[in-house]
Amino acid sequence: MNRAARFGMIFAVVSGFLSSTASEATPHSHAYRLSFPRLALQPDEQIESFRVVIPCGHIESIVGIPLDWNIEVTRAVSEVEELRASAGHGASYVRQMDEFNGVINIVSTSDACFSVSSEITVVFDDERVIKLSRKELALDQSGT
C-alpha cells in the first residue's frame, strides 16, 4: 500500500472515531433558567440559605450573586449536582427568593431522570426548612 493510501485509511478511521465520539459526548439536553415561587413566610422570617439538588443535570452558569452571599457548586460525579448558597451575615438575609430568580442556568443531561428540588432555610426565633419539588419550581427554557 502506498503512502497516500495509508494516509487516506488513517484519516478515515480517525474521522469516524471523532464523529462517533462527538455524538456520544453531546447527549440530547435542554437549558433552563430556575425561578422560585413566592414563599409563605411569617412577618419576621428571613431566608438564610438554600440548596438546589439536580439529578441528571448540571449548573451551567450563575449570572448574578447578591452581595455578601456565598455560592458553592458540587459537580456531579454521581449524576447528582448540588448548589448551596448562604448569606454571609444576618444583614444579608433576604425576604424572598426574587434576587435568585432567573440567574441560575441549568442543563439537563438525561430527560429520563432529570429533576430539580430545593430546600430553603428561613430563620427568626427558630430555623425551619421549606422543601420545594420540581412542580413548585419554575424551569423556563433558555437559549443557552
Side-chain angles (χ1 to χ4, degrees), residues 2-40:
N2 69 21
R3 188 174 174 172
R6 276 186 288 184
F7 178 75
M9 188 174 6
I10 291 170
F11 181 76
V13 169
V14 170
S15 295
F17 173 76
L18 290 176
S19 65
S20 69
T21 303
S23 64
E24 292 172 38
T26 56
H28 182 67
S29 64
H30 296 92
Y32 303 97
R33 285 188 324 259
L34 175 65
S35 293
F36 298 86
R38 297 287 298 166
L39 301 174

